[in-house]
Amino acid sequence: MGDILIHHWDTDGICSAHLLMKHLGEKIRNITPQIGNYYLTDEEMDMLGGFDGIFIVDMALPEDNIKRLSRSSEVTVYDHHVQSYMDFIHHINPVAKGSRQEDYPSCTWVLKEHFKIDTDLQVILGIIGDNEHKIKENRRFYEIVMKFCDRFSTTLEDLVRAVHLIDSNYKLGKKDAVEKIPHYIGEMSIDDILNCEDWNRNLETIEKEIERALNKRQSVGKNLEMIDIESPYNVISEITRRLAWSTGKNAVVINRGFFPDKSQIYVRTSTMDLSNLIGKLKSMGYNVGGKPRVLGAIVPKNSTDMVVNKVVKFLEGEN
Ligand SMILES: [Mn+2]
């Protein structure tokens, strides 16, 4: 039944999908998982079972998803996320083989190295997509980005804005739009992206939604700010970031409106280590991920208040 390509819904995923399609030189069907899900649903798994070859880019799906797919299809993964090396598929992920994450700031860079692609706009957008201004802290890649800016008379500011425009599609939950972009992003210049009317309209919608959410903030104790919303948009990480950065306090945001049956919970702190909390919620069986200072969880709607209570207690230092 031919091949199919699965990619992450963000700029790095979209640009990686474009680069792989271009390299394969064939029209290949592409999909992104249900936006917000870092795994494949049963329906998605069933649909994929019919394909001979499955390519996955910039998406660290659970190993049991991959294992199941590999029983009926030839699976190839290109990625740069931290994950275990999988010897039962074609696994092209230098980080899984021990390379440092800083040396692979995007999946587009993995593809660039693997296929010896030029450092073109899509490769750079992948890097800026995953790192934004933080790329300044990565000396080697900041130089690569600056060289690109010189050569194409653009700026880091413009590249970051281009990334926000591309990412506006997934933030508004526009799965179809996301899946179309890999087919034409290769023909867009940086100015085409910056001037795209649809995407600029998207950004305005998102901006209004974020402001509306920030107006609902509530102080809990002296060092915690909380926002509890019901938004159909995937904007929780941006709201949490702005809440934390504007107040300097621990921030907890709950969105009960993005998934029909689940809530999103997002936590950001500048003073605590959330690793234990992440581990604890994982051991309770919840879908949780994060880094020492950021936590994201997707929990069934009827467990939301209970999980939020645990988070708040943790942040108040009672645990
Ligand atoms: Mn990525």
Side-chain angles (χ1 to χ4, degrees):
M1 207 180 130
D3 298 339
I4 190 161
L5 165 57
I6 306 167
H7 55 94
H8 193 198
W9 46 76
D10 71 359
T11 296
D12 188 29
I14 288 171
C15 289
S16 296
H18 158 77
L19 292 174
L20 182 61
M21 283 183 191
K22 191 171 154 192
H23 179 83
L24 294 172
E26 52 174 310
K27 278 251 173 280
I28 179 171
R29 215 182 129 189
N30 67 298
I31 62 156
T32 189
Q34 203 57 57
I35 292 173
N37 281 353
Y38 289 88
Y39 59 89
L40 299 168
T41 63
D42 287 338
E43 289 113 73
E44 285 165 340
M45 289 294 281
D46 290 345
M47 187 275 284
L48 291 163
F51 288 89
D52 302 320
I54 299 176
F55 295 93
I56 302 167
V57 295
D58 194 36
M59 189 99 220
L61 295 169
E63 210 172 299
D64 54 304
N65 277 178
I66 307 278
K67 233 175 219 149
R68 220 177 106 191
L69 293 174
S70 72
R71 277 188 223 131
S72 51
S73 315
E74 188 170 346
V75 178
T76 309
V77 171
Y78 297 93
D79 203 357
H80 70 128
H81 288 101
V82 179
Q83 61 186 168
S84 320
Y85 180 73
M86 293 176 278
D87 59 4
F88 52 93
I89 55 160
H90 306 290
H91 195 190
I92 297 93
N93 180 345
V95 176
K97 288 208 129 180
S99 290
R100 299 183 320 156
Q101 257 206 310
E102 302 95 271
D103 292 328
Y104 294 92
S106 66
C107 184
T108 58
W109 196 262
V110 173
L111 291 158
K112 179 229 143 55
E113 273 198 354
H114 190 76
F115 295 121
K116 305 195 169 40
I117 300 168
D118 288 338
T119 308
D120 55 20
L121 177 59
Q122 296 83 39
V123 172
I124 294 290
L125 284 174
I127 296 173
I128 301 303
D130 278 16
N131 299 276
E132 300 201 6
H133 288 102
K134 280 202 209 83
I135 199 62
K136 286 181 185 164
E137 293 159 23
N138 186 332
R139 229 171 92 198
R140 179 180 163 218
F141 283 93
Y142 186 50
E143 251 170 53
I144 290 170
V145 170
M146 283 302 107
K147 220 183 253 171
F148 177 89
C149 287
D150 277 349
R151 188 151 61 97
F152 291 93
S153 319
T154 186
T155 60
L156 181 58
E157 285 307 315
D158 276 352
L159 290 169
V160 170
R161 173 141 185 105
V163 161
H164 290 165
L165 286 161
I166 298 170
D167 284 345
S168 70
N169 290 286
Y170 89 72
K171 288 185 180 156
L172 293 187
K174 298 187 171 194
K175 181 168 144 70
D176 293 345
V178 167
E179 289 168 345
K180 284 191 185 114
I181 308 174
H183 296 276
Y184 61 81
I185 187 87
E187 281 123 56
M188 289 180 96
S189 68
I190 182 89
D191 282 336
D192 291 337
I193 296 172
L194 294 174
N195 295 322
C196 176
E197 282 181 27
D198 273 5
W199 298 352
N200 276 287
R201 247 194 316 271
N202 286 349
L203 273 195
E204 280 170 33
T205 307
I206 290 167
E207 204 49 49
K208 274 190 207 130
E209 189 74 358
I210 291 173
E211 270 161 38
R212 193 161 42 217
L214 287 171
N215 283 331
K216 290 194 179 157
R217 66 176 241 229
Q218 291 178 304
S219 303
V220 180
K222 59 180 186 317
N223 198 31
L224 175 61
E225 292 285 327
M226 255 174 87
I227 290 176
D228 195 338
I229 50 167
E230 209 165 327
S231 168
Y233 303 142
N234 198 13
V235 287
I236 191 165
S237 67
E238 184 62 26
I239 292 168
T240 314
R241 197 181 301 162
R242 289 204 208 166
L243 180 63
W245 290 353
S246 65
T247 61
K249 297 184 190 173
N250 295 327
V252 177
V253 179
I254 306 134
N255 181 10
R256 305 170 194 255
F258 185 68
F259 295 107
D261 50 346
K262 290 168 285 182
S263 302
Q264 298 171 296
I265 301 172
Y266 220 86
V267 184
R268 189 175 269 275
T269 171
S270 57
T271 51
M272 295 178 79
D273 184 345
L274 301 174
S275 307
N276 285 340
L277 180 61
I278 293 170
K280 191 166 150 198
L281 293 177
K282 264 189 191 164
S283 73
M284 293 171 75
Y286 295 114
N287 189 342
V288 188
K291 303 170 193 161
R293 302 208 183 280
V294 190
L295 177 158
I298 298 168
V299 304
K301 275 205 172 143
N302 56 15
S303 315
T304 308
D305 293 334
M306 192 266 287
V307 174
V308 169
N309 269 331
K310 285 216 180 307
V311 168
V312 171
K313 285 228 166 74
F314 182 91
L315 292 172
E316 286 174 341
E318 288 178 31
N319 228 319

